[in-house]
Structure formats: C-alpha cells, structure tokens
Amino acid sequence: MAATMKDIARYTGLGLATISSYFNGGNVREKNRVKIEAAIRELHYEVNEVARNLKTNATKTIGVVIPELNNIFCAEIITGMEDILRNHGYATIICDCRTDKKLEKEAVEFLMRKRVDGIINMPVDTAGEHLKEFQKTGRPIVLIDRMIQGLSCDCVLVDNEKAAEDAVELLLKNGHRNIGIIGGPRDVFTARERLSGYAKAHERYGVAVQESLIFHGDYTIQGGVRALTELVRRNPHMTAVFVTNYEMTMGTVIGINELGIRIPDQLSVIGFDNLQFARACSPKLTIVSQPTEGIAREAAGIMLSRLENTHSEAEDTTEKQGISEKLRTEILIGKSIRDRTDENTGDL
C-alpha cells in the first residue's frame, strides 16, 4: 500500500500542516525539511501530481509556442527557458506552429485544454487573435521577440531598431553608400523595426534610401538565396548587404558563392546570429549577435514572477499593461567588410 502524508507525519512526528506546507512549496524549517525528505525516501512516498493539481488548480506546466523549432534563435531561447523553469518545478510543452497562423491558434487551444499555467509565445499572428481566449482565463502570457499592438501582456524584446542602425552605420563608416538589406516579411514586428533602423542610419549620414536595395525575405535559407540573387540583379552598384536573420544569412552566403562574388572585395556582408556559422565562413562574417540567454532569462523570470507573485509593489502598477523588457544586441566583428572610404566607385 502506498504511503500517505499521515504516514510521513507519524514517521517524523510533525503535524500534517507542516507536511502539507512542504509539498506545496511553503516555508518549512530546515530541520523539519530534512526529516520530511528522509521519510519520503524511507517510505517510498510518491506525490500524486494529479490530485495536487486538482486541488491547487495548477498544473506546473508552461506552454511555449514558437514559429520554427529548427530555427537556432528559437531553439537557444527554449533551451534557456526550460532550464530555468525546470529548476522551479515547471515542465514545458513546446508547440512548433511552422509560421502558420492557423496552427498557432490550434496550438494555443491545445495548451488551454492541457490547462497550462501560462504561455510564452513568439507570435506569428500579429493581431493576437490566437491569444485572446487564453487571456480571458487570467493566466499570464509572455511574448518574446515580437510585440502585438493592442494586447496587454508582458513582453521581452531585442532593440531591433538599434541593432540594424548600428550594423548599417558600420557599413556607412566604411564608405559604403549602396547598401542592400534583406529584411523579413512586411507584417512582422521585428522586420519593421530593423528596416526602420536601416533607414535611420541612412538619414543620419545624409544618404538617400533606394527602394531597389530593399528586399523583404521570408526568414528561410532558400529565401536568402533568392533575395541576394535579386538584389545583385537589380543593383550592380551595390557594395554591401545587411541580412536580418540567421537562416537568410546562410542563404545569402550560398547565393554569393553560387554567383562567384568575393567577400569582401566585391561585396561586404553583415549577417545575423550564430557565431559558429560566422566563424566557419571564409572570411569570417561580421554579425549582429542577439542575447538569447538574456531573452530566455527575462521571459522565464517574468513568467515565474506572475505565477509565484514575487514581483515587487512597484511592478504592481504595470500589472494591467504588462512588463516590457528591451535587450541590446552587439556586433561581433569579422573580416567581411571592405573599407571603401578612399574609393569613388564601388560597383560589383
């Protein structure tokens, strides 16, 4: 017969209230904790998670909905969040919606049926329709990487505008005036922010933005190949290109190799993320590096603070509008930028 909490109470000489407090994460004196854990081992006590969840109306699970599981940016963030949440007793259910709004909505509905305690989402649906039913439950939602206008919830972002502005400014400082950008889809928040940073850097240097140098990609490797090929076709005068995500950076390098273009002699390149890929390229790529560990830490921390009520009184004023964290990127310098400051022309 399985041991019960009463058996542990008899074994330790402690009251049921103390035993219950231990199992529910309450404050228990160290000497009592040692006694209880010794009794658990001796009596082979097993926690009935189903019964406890029914009693507390909590499942100790967090749903995570992301666009692409094979995206290294998503994967690194998930790994970091899982480690933190697991250390606090929470399991995660990961849903890959394949950048499909319908699948994203179905994923959230699935997580609602599983009664998850909260959802962390890198949203595909920019209107946020997929989250509105879950929001009615009062359980926390944390968005990562992308904001949804009109949806009041917590959000962890990268300063995408500044990231792009810094990257393009580096090219402008090196004498480039015909700089292509391979951006993301027009309706994606991060893509719009990065395009804005591209434009701001040009404005600061008094350089007109040329529409022919802007390509809206699809965040895939093959999309990067198509984008680079089209930009070169339309712009024989292009001397540099800034690529705004990792997969398209890979595609851009493939496209450059297939066209026989030399980096940086004929075309300078700044990519996005994945230091290992940047190091594998010859020459080594200069890249914008996003703080995936920081994003994971902030997202998991905000979720835990909502679930465990550990946020401060100062944060109570942000309860309705949500907490918003914006993290900085850094540029990791490689050898893929040519200095053209002393040149008058720069055609491919």
Side-chain angles (χ1 to χ4, degrees):
M1 184 176 177
T4 67
M5 286 176 59
K6 289 183 178 179
D7 294 326
I8 293 177
R10 281 193 292 269
Y11 186 93
T12 60
L14 300 173
L16 280 173
T18 301
I19 308 297
S20 178
S21 179
Y22 169 85
F23 283 116
N24 288 302
N27 293 322
V28 176
R29 291 180 180 177
E30 179 63 17
K31 65 177 183 179
N32 291 339
R33 183 187 64 78
V34 172
K35 287 181 181 180
I36 293 168
E37 291 177 357
I40 290 170
R41 290 191 296 270
E42 184 67 25
L43 299 174
H44 305 291
Y45 177 82
E46 295 183 1
V47 177
N48 187 333
E49 293 287 357
V50 174
R52 184 166 72 174
N53 292 344
L54 288 172
K55 183 177 179 181
T56 63
N57 197 32
T59 61
K60 301 292 282 188
T61 57
I62 306 298
V64 180
V65 185
I66 47 92
E68 298 286 346
L69 191 55
N70 62 358
N71 180 300
I72 192 166
F73 176 65
C74 296
E76 288 181 354
I77 293 172
I78 289 170
T79 299
M81 291 192 305
E82 273 195 308
D83 288 344
I84 296 168
L85 294 169
R86 184 171 57 251
N87 288 338
H88 285 79
Y90 288 87
T92 52
I93 301 176
I94 312 297
C95 297
D96 177 353
C97 71
R98 300 177 185 83
T99 316
D100 185 304
K101 293 179 183 180
K102 184 174 181 291
L103 291 179
E104 184 175 49
K105 187 174 188 297
E106 290 175 358
V108 173
E109 291 170 350
F110 166 77
L111 293 172
M112 287 183 67
R113 291 195 296 273
K114 291 295 182 182
R115 299 176 60 248
V116 296
D117 298 334
I119 287 179
I120 298 173
N121 179 211
M122 186 183 295
V124 173
D125 185 346
T126 57
E129 293 297 325
H130 61 298
L131 291 169
K132 289 182 178 177
E133 285 302 313
F134 185 82
Q135 192 176 40
K136 292 177 184 177
T137 68
R139 296 172 185 172
I141 298 169
V142 179
L143 300 182
I144 51 176
D145 191 51
R146 303 168 186 176
M147 183 181 291
I148 296 176
Q149 297 295 333
L151 188 71
S152 178
C153 61
D154 300 315
C155 193
V156 179
L157 305 171
V158 165
D159 194 341
N160 289 287
E161 185 176 75
K162 182 64 174 168
E165 187 178 353
D166 289 346
V168 176
E169 183 175 8
L170 180 58
L171 293 169
L172 289 163
K173 282 181 178 178
N174 278 273
H176 295 273
R177 294 297 180 267
N178 298 294
I179 303 167
I181 180 172
I182 300 177
R186 297 174 190 271
D187 63 341
V188 174
F189 174 80
T190 52
R192 294 197 303 270
E193 291 283 289
R194 290 169 190 171
L195 185 57
S196 175
Y198 170 85
K200 284 184 76 172
H202 278 74
E203 182 181 358
R204 178 179 298 155
Y205 277 73
V207 178
V209 172
Q210 303 171 54
E211 288 298 320
S212 66
L213 286 166
I214 299 172
F215 191 99
H216 294 278
D218 60 4
Y219 289 151
T220 67
I221 294 174
Q222 193 54 43
V225 177
R226 288 193 301 270
L228 185 279
T229 303
E230 180 63 17
L231 281 177
V232 170
R233 186 191 67 79
R234 294 193 318 219
N235 305 279
H237 58 295
M238 182 174 70
T239 65
V241 64
F242 171 48
V243 196
T244 61
N245 95 316
Y246 164 60
E247 281 74 16
M248 292 193 301
T249 298
M250 288 185 67
T252 295
V253 173
I254 292 170
I256 287 171
N257 290 339
E258 289 179 347
L259 291 173
I261 296 170
R262 297 188 308 276
I263 302 174
D265 295 342
Q266 293 176 288
L267 186 67
S268 295
V269 179
I270 296 182
F272 229 87
D273 285 331
N274 198 332
L275 177 59
Q276 298 309 315
F277 173 73
R279 291 174 62 192
C281 291
S282 181
K284 178 182 176 182
L285 290 185
T286 294
I287 59 169
V288 174
S289 179
Q290 298 189 88
T292 52
E293 288 185 13
I295 295 169
R297 184 171 57 251
E298 291 292 339
I302 291 172
M303 177 60 70
L304 290 169
S305 75
R306 294 300 189 191
L307 292 172
E308 300 175 1
N309 296 316
T310 58
H311 53 286
S312 66
E313 289 184 13
E315 289 173 330
D316 287 340
T317 59
T318 66
E319 189 76 31
K320 291 185 179 180
Q321 65 268 33
I323 298 170
S324 181
E325 297 288 347
K326 186 172 280 192
L327 308 181
R328 293 291 299 271
T329 61
E330 63 176 325
I331 295 179
L332 304 180
I333 301 297
K335 297 180 179 180
S336 61
I337 300 175
R338 177 177 171 178
D339 186 350
R340 289 180 174 265
T341 52
D342 295 330
E343 301 176 18
N344 294 320
T345 62
D347 295 350
L348 281 175

